[in-house]
Amino acid sequence: MKDYEDAIAFLGQWGRFQQTVFFLLCASVVPNGFGVFFTVFLTDTPSHHCLVPEVNLSQAWRDAIIPIELVDRRQELSSCSRYRLDVVRNLSAQGLVPGRDVNLTDLEREGCVDGWSYSRDIYQSTIVSEFDLVCSDQWKQPFTTTLLLLGVLFGSFVSGQLSDRFGRKPVLFATMAVQTLFTIVQIFSPSWTVFSILFFMSGLGQISNYISGFVLGAEILTGNVRDMFSTMGISLGFAVGYMLLPLFAYFLRDWKSLLLGLSLPCFAYIPLWWFIPESPRWLLSQGRVEEAEAIIRKAAKINKVEAPQVIFEDYSTHVNENNTHPKSNHNFLHLLSTRNIRNTTIILCLLWLTLSTGYFGLSLNTSQLHANPYISCFFSAAVEVPAYTSCWLAQRYLPRRVSVISLLLLEAVSLYSIQLVPQSLSYLSFALEMLGKFAVSASSTLMYAYTAELYPTVLRNTATGTCCTVSRVGSCITPFLLKLCFYFKYLPNIILGTLAAVSAFAAFFLPESFGRPLPQTIQQMRKIKSRHRRSHSPNNTMFVYCCDHGNALSSSLLLPRGLTFGPCSSPKSEITPASDDSAAVIGIYRPIFDRP
């Protein structure tokens, strides 16, 4: 089968067709930038205390009815209790003065039976103030974010398989519609229960369209343009949306206005249906050669180049074989079908889990990093721009595995170092956390490209969706992970740093994909790097036995120093395959080092 990129090489890499696909797909992910992280403002807890109804109280007792508590070595008004109103009312009627005539510590307390009073210094309202998600219902605040991320988890799992089954383009636009419509409907939620259900539904499309758009661009674009798109292009589109979020939130400080303001711009993406094509790679994998050729011919016309008479000539035979043999549908179970694919999948799932937990942990915690949550959120978003730029440079010039390991170690070191900073140097702690955010943002983006390069076309979107699904397990527990700071301030950072260090070690066992074409079939998927004992013959020469249907291979293969060709006379049972390529089975004796 002729390589896809060779078949469409006549188009060039950066014609008007590729430019249109590049920028439109980058623009399509802008809503994802604020689609998840608006929970930073939506679920933030304003300062609050028990509501004191309008009763006959002196000003001194009205000021003293809320107890003073010590929180993080600071005195604050109690958030969940007050002195009993009937007792205070009697003391006020007697003309007694709190603190002078009455010892306040001796007074009985009660809960906020009349509700809460919320500060409006930062927000006009959030869902916490709307539905009173405080005190005994405080668990609902992180659980709300978890429900959104559970929707993202389920959507990532389903959309990956739907995209492999029905195409990249339909799933891209369907998930965009789900995200927009359910977000708008949330505005009319009469209760927290209804809001949570709708929040879960909107999560189904939050990251699913990002994955579909990413895979669509990675399969349409080629060469350096694909590298730029998968690392810097689509990620910068996400960062632009993320940086716009604090701007929207600053001017729309009511949660309902914020949701509406973030949703309405999404309707501008409807016309993109007529400008973004389906993936020709996916069409070819489904045997729809004519449709794939039609898209490439249209692209050639847009780029003003002449297309050959037959573009995918070698695929015609492949289609005929599919017509005579039943075509199997691939699903996530195929990711566990062989040892090599299974090992790759397990390691990638661990890395995705770690990176997602770290990314969401550092992003959702921005409102606690600075007195002004809008400034914290903007810096958290802005640091992703140099992260994505660095990722693009790394993907272009550096091996994937080395880049991922280095970034994971940088994340671990920065997060471990935060606890060593004195409290008086709060800005240094903030800088270290942003350095960790830089590392996890760059590595998360690189993992999308790395994963897509390791899997063949028939499994690429399923693999990306499955890894993303596993990663969402980590992101779903992140809101509760951040609450561990109430027990030990630096515990969340220690956990995230440990996960990064362990994942850096696991990444060492992944195969390298740098400079290699995208695999088209499962047989072409790279093997996990394995090491066997080295063995030397008496003359210190290692023999590699290569057979191609009985004919020795010689000059067509480049061997490292110290390797020479031996005769193709070894019994078949005595050699171990070192390649999955059925055209040329390369084998070596078991005692000899297996070079992948």
Side-chain angles (χ1 to χ4, degrees), residues 56 58 62 187 268 307 353 397 410 429 492:
N56 188 17
S58 65
R62 186 170 292 276
I187 298 173
L353 178 71
Y397 299 109
L410 177 61
S429 298

Side-chain angles (χ1 to χ4, degrees), residues 546-577:
C546 306
C547 299
D548 182 12
H549 303 292
N551 300 318
L553 300 178
S554 54
S555 60
S556 61
L557 293 180
L558 180 61
L559 295 180
R561 184 178 180 181
L563 292 182
T564 60
F565 281 103
C568 293
S569 59
S570 302
K572 186 175 181 180
S573 60
E574 295 184 4
I575 60 175
T576 301

Side-chain angles (χ1 to χ4, degrees), residues 27-41:
S28 71
V29 302
V30 170
N32 292 108
F34 47 71
V36 173
F37 298 125
F38 61 25
T39 57
V40 171
F41 304 102

Side-chain angles (χ1 to χ4, degrees), residues 35-98:
V36 173
F37 298 125
F38 61 25
T39 57
V40 171
F41 304 102
L42 200 68
T43 65
D44 200 10
T45 304
S47 299
H48 59 281
H49 58 77
C50 292
L51 179 66
V52 180
E54 294 295 332
V55 294
N56 188 17
L57 290 178
S58 65
Q59 187 60 43
W61 278 107
R62 186 170 292 276
D63 295 337
I65 193 173
I66 306 299
I68 302 296
E69 296 179 345
L70 192 64
V71 179
D72 291 335
R73 300 180 181 179
R74 298 192 308 267
Q75 289 187 340
E76 296 181 358
L77 294 176
S78 176
S79 300
C80 300
S81 65
R82 71 184 184 190
Y83 296 119
R84 283 190 56 177
L85 182 60
D86 56 345
V87 174
V88 171
R89 190 186 320 178
N90 292 334
L91 295 174
S92 177
Q94 296 174 21
L96 300 177
V97 179

Side-chain angles (χ1 to χ4, degrees), residues 307-328:
Q309 186 175 2
V310 179
I311 301 176
F312 301 112
E313 181 178 3
D314 294 337
Y315 284 86
S316 301
T317 305
H318 181 65
V319 173
N320 293 333
E321 291 177 355
N322 286 340
N323 291 334
T324 56
H325 300 284
K327 184 172 64 176
S328 59

Side-chain angles (χ1 to χ4, degrees), residues 213-333:
F214 169 83
V215 175
L216 180 59
E219 293 184 345
I220 293 179
L221 304 173
T222 59
N224 293 332
V225 177
R226 182 180 65 211
D227 293 343
M228 180 183 295
F229 171 82
S230 59
T231 54
M232 189 169 66
I234 195 170
S235 301
L236 287 179
F238 183 91
V240 168
Y242 194 177
M243 287 189 289
L244 288 174
L245 173 60
L247 181 66
F248 275 89
Y250 181 80
F251 290 103
L252 303 173
R253 302 201 178 194
D254 174 72
W255 71 273
K256 293 183 179 180
S257 302
L258 178 60
L259 286 182
L260 185 62
L262 295 176
S263 300
L264 290 180
C266 297
F267 287 99
Y269 292 101
I270 295 177
L272 298 188
W273 175 268
W274 290 275
F275 295 95
I276 297 178
E278 181 57 272
S279 166
R281 285 182 187 267
W282 177 81
L283 291 172
L284 290 173
S285 70
Q286 302 299 304
R288 296 157 64 175
V289 181
E290 294 181 0
E291 296 178 52
E293 286 204 357
I295 292 175
I296 299 302
R297 292 189 186 281
K298 183 178 180 180
K301 184 177 180 181
I302 295 174
N303 286 358
K304 297 181 180 179
V305 297
E306 184 176 353
Q309 186 175 2
V310 179
I311 301 176
F312 301 112
E313 181 178 3
D314 294 337
Y315 284 86
S316 301
T317 305
H318 181 65
V319 173
N320 293 333
E321 291 177 355
N322 286 340
N323 291 334
T324 56
H325 300 284
K327 184 172 64 176
S328 59
N329 293 316
H330 296 84
N331 53 48
F332 76 98
L333 294 178

